[in-house]
Amino acid sequence: MANAPTTPGIAPARLDPQTLAAHFADLEPPFGPHEAVVAADRCYFCYDAPCVTACPTEIDIPLFIRQIQAGQPEAAARTILDQNILGGMCARVCPTETLCEEACVREFAEGKPVEIGRLQRHATDALMARGIHPYVRAAPTGRRIAVVGAGPAGLACAHRLAMRGHDVVLMDARPRIGGLNEYGIAAYKTPDDFAQAEIDWLMKIGGIETRTGVRLGETVTLEDLRAQHDAVFLGIGLAGVNGLGVPGEDLEGVRDAIDFIAELRQAEDLARLPVGRHVVVIGGGMTAVDAAVQSKLLGAEVVTMVYRRGRARMSASQHEIDHAATAGVRIITDAQPVAVHGNGAAQEVEFAYTHDGEAGLELTGETFRLRADQVFKAIGQKLAGVPEGLTRAHGKIAVAGAGRTELEGVWAGGDCTAGGDDLTVTAVAEGRDAAEDIHAALTARAAA
Amino acid sequence: MADLTSNFLGIPSPNPFWLASAPPTDKQYNVERAFRAGWGGVVWKTLGFDPHIVNVNGPRYGAVWGADRQLLGMNNIELITDRPLEVNLREIKAVKRDWPDRAMVVSLMVPCDEESWAAILPMVEETGADGVELNFGCPHGMSERGMGSAVGQVPEYIEMVTRWCKKHTRMPVIVKLTPNVADIRNAARAAHKGGADAVSLINTVNSITSVDLDTMAPEPAIDGKGTHGGYCGPAVKPIALNMVAEIARDPETAGLPISGIGGVTTWRDAAEFLALGAGNTQVCTAAMNYGFGIIKELTAGLSLWMDEKGYRSVDEVVGRAVPNVTDWQHLNLNYVTKARIDQEACIKCGRCYAACEDTSHQAISMSEDRVFEVIDAECVACNLCVNVCPVENCITMERLAAGSVDQRTGQTVSDRYLNWTMHPNNPMDKAAE
Ligand SMILES: Cc1cc2nc3c(=O)[nH]c(=O)nc-3n(C[C@H](O)[C@H](O)[C@H](O)COP(=O)(O)OP(=O)(O)OC[C@H]3O[C@@H](n4cnc5c(N)ncnc54)[C@H](O)[C@@H]3O)c2cc1C
Ligand SMILES: Cc1cc2nc3c(=O)[nH]c(=O)nc-3n(C[C@H](O)[C@H](O)[C@H](O)COP(=O)(O)O)c2cc1C
Ligand code: SF4
Ligand code: SF4
Ligand code: SF4
């Protein structure tokens, strides 16, 4: 079945296997040892370094870069992982251009920051390649903690709790653990099944029992978990998606971008994954960019991303938008979908131009249509299935301090909580800090 | 985890990294910051008698930079402490009281007479300091006044002053040596004879870092004039390593503890000093260049390396390389190597060719299509091409196996150890026959 980008409808194998493999290989290849040392040499070892302040996990960046310079990437990895146990994944997926590298003084001076992300990858890869897990568990405390949701927040929390000597039960509704590391992040950012390799490495700490297929609210209740554990951490992410609310949304070919991405991430063989000839992605965030770019890489002929506001309001970073444009994605802004047309299956999406009016976003009245065999909705995820008793803030679980919810003994962190950007690294920081807070609370309780 | 604790001269410190006597150890404020950051000890900025000296009020440092402004070497025309003696002593006492687990050594420089040393030593003892270091090294300013390197360049003075100090204090006495001498061993032997508990080296090297070609003044310039200053930092490390090794392998000073100083910047530099016989290391420029935070890299790095090599304590590293430092005449002349170019790694820049063709032995050939190959019949294995090649491990030195023929000499390579003293061309060897 030799299909081509121009094959009508939704079809697999639009590109030959070699091209697909090349398209989904490492977006940014790893540094060789020489490149790494040259890149490391650019770091000024700033005092109270702005890059560290900009990192949600506050990795001691100048120190780890100096350790690479001094010929010890493994020591550098230790510095990274002390603060961020998913430092390997973060090195691949962090939008560094809006975090550490944006803050780097050399970005300010020359518009060319120290390549912190790639250096971080160099260090963590070196350690993991040697199969070293540098942490050991403290003496057992006899405490048992339930961690619900095995995304970056849950994983970071579980690891830190295990390190502090607690026993952890890590549960997730999905068949594989990892959360969006496993089901969401763009494939070319984490090739060669890095997400699972990192989890295997993380689990070497011991003391973490994993249970998949367990859904809070269905398989178990929060009440049960509270009764059976000394503390509960919720890192359940954003399981719901926003709908378009326009006619034709239920036509065949219209689906949530995150489902398409999850399917892509789980695909054994990308050549068997169908994609439309004409793909329209609705949204302006990271999910929209990833769905659009990966559709293009799968061989869709025409991919258009449409965002209802101006370019400056897109939540995807400039770097990501540029990446989409380079991949051949057409980007239309200031247009909002009003209907999906088609007979059983989608054929066209009708958009209306918008502008910022007095009452917020207003339609100009002018409309246009885009051909679409496939329509991906990427207009935001939302919290779903929040257990009773938890208050909400800005549509998310309200927390105070290091992830304390209103309920005694229940902590939460990551995308499901208000505060912080919805990023892998932020989830790691919140999971880690909640673990320390749980540890402190349990220790205080034991002392009392 | 390797044990980094150090017990140099019986002075305990949590790691073998001390800050050398210099601005970083100038006052209580700095030293406490250093200890908080994790430094194992300090040698306090050199004390002298009141009225305290004055420093220049214009630039006192000069520098040599790499292309990206990495500081490769620095020089200074700073003198000893410019604060009253009493203030320094009070602060030393306070710091030692609050940080009992850290090494506190006090550097001293007073006029070259016994009364002066006899007067200052009890004052230092009273602070509770762990030891003293005699600054016979400062190469500028103080030497014009008969102190510093003016003492350190005359072995008789070194021995004499060391003897006075040993007589007037129970504290360990470290003698800090100047590299501005022809043979460092004479200075170390003199310290040893005088009863020194250890030597530390190197102090700074006489230098002018640059000349401002507009004003025609050497840098750092004070009102249009400059003077030679003391050079330090990465650039002086090779000089320091050699001097440390020379003392470590000198039978006359065998067993004399050495504190290694000069260009220590990363854990590796420190490990090299230890391997060549230094019992601990002191750091100045690296801290001045990057701040006290570098101690984290130094300790973590040394510890990781020791773990990987299976060394459990610092003492197991000290002196490991000393037996392998020898005289030229003992090098094996039957050790024959040839340069080998890895054609896969070669980027065809031609630097090896230019170097060998213009300045060495015309032992690299260049083809029309820029393939560079070693001509074994010409290669003397000098290593120049290895050093100039921009690609690491692209050119390597491979040993010729015993029994193979060296194309250059036509001789069969022997596995017999043959040094110059045994060589037929050696007139002394012939004479002995
Ligand atoms: C397509 C896409 C691309 C992204 N790309 C990037 C990127 O490049 N860089 C970046 O920094 N961030 C990126 N993000 C954001 C990042 O993935 C998230 O911020 C991060 O994964 C949040 O971690 P978390 O642990 O809070 O939640 P998640 O990773 O969402 O994990 C939550 C887990 O909880 C489980 N769960 C949910 N409800 C229940 C329940 N009721 N019972 C049991 N288990 C439950 C889920 O199955 C899931 O495994 C991307 C997000 C998406 C959607
Ligand atoms: C600014 C400056 C001042 C110094 N002052 C002293 C001093 O007062 N006493 C002393 O013994 N050495 C002094 N030194 C020498 C250092 O202690 C050290 O021996 C030398 O700098 C070499 O080490 P480094 O390469 O780590 O800097 C000084 C060095 C510098 C850079
Ligand atoms: S801001 Fe840039 S130069 Fe400064 S420490 Fe961070 S990475 Fe290095
Ligand atoms: S480093 Fe500080 S004291 Fe020295 S010249 Fe600069 S500002 Fe002045
Ligand atoms: S210097 Fe190195 S890279 Fe350049 S031509 Fe010679 S061998 Fe090749």
Side-chain angles (χ1 to χ4, degrees), chain B residues 328-336 416-423:
Chain B
W328 193 97
Q329 60 179 343
H330 296 129
L331 299 176
N332 183 6
L333 297 170
N334 274 339
Y335 175 78
V336 185
R416 199 171 66 90
Y417 168 76
L418 174 104
N419 70 36
W420 174 243
T421 64
M422 308 143 84
H423 198 277

Side-chain angles (χ1 to χ4, degrees), chain B residues 76-95:
Chain B
N76 80 89
I77 54 168
E78 175 175 289
L79 303 181
I80 63 173
T81 183
D82 53 11
R83 305 189 314 150
L85 180 60
E86 184 273 323
V87 173
N88 277 306
L89 291 170
R90 179 160 31 87
E91 291 186 3
I92 290 167
K93 189 171 181 173
V95 176

Side-chain angles (χ1 to χ4, degrees), chain B residues 94-133:
Chain B
V95 176
K96 184 62 204 179
R97 183 195 60 215
D98 294 346
W99 298 85
D101 68 323
R102 309 300 168 98
M104 171 64 74
V105 172
V106 178
S107 173
L108 299 174
M109 186 195 286
V110 291
C112 208
D113 55 64
E114 188 168 356
E115 306 81 80
S116 296
W117 292 93
I120 199 164
L121 285 162
M123 299 183 199
V124 177
E125 258 177 31
E126 203 276 323
T127 64
D130 299 301
V132 290
E133 186 180 81

Side-chain angles (χ1 to χ4, degrees), chain A residues 41 45 47 70 72 106 130, chain B residues 33 68 70 267 297 301 308:
Chain A
D41 213 34
F45 199 72
Y47 181 72
Q72 289 185 328
R106 296 202 77 160
R130 292 175 58 177
Chain B
R33 276 175 75 83
D68 202 15
Q70 301 99 327
W267 70 269
E297 186 282 319
E308 286 181 349

Side-chain angles (χ1 to χ4, degrees), chain B residues 187-245:
Chain B
R189 286 168 187 164
H192 193 42
K193 278 200 214 118
D197 295 280
V199 289
S200 59
L201 69 161
I202 57 173
N203 209 310
T204 53
V205 183
N206 271 337
S207 61
I208 290 175
T209 47
S210 58
V211 177
D212 183 324
L213 291 179
D214 296 323
T215 61
M216 285 294 167
E219 301 276 13
I222 301 289
D223 198 17
K225 303 256 186 273
T227 183
H228 64 85
Y231 202 40
C232 53
V236 308
K237 186 184 104 178
I239 298 168
L241 284 179
N242 173 54
M243 290 185 166
V244 165

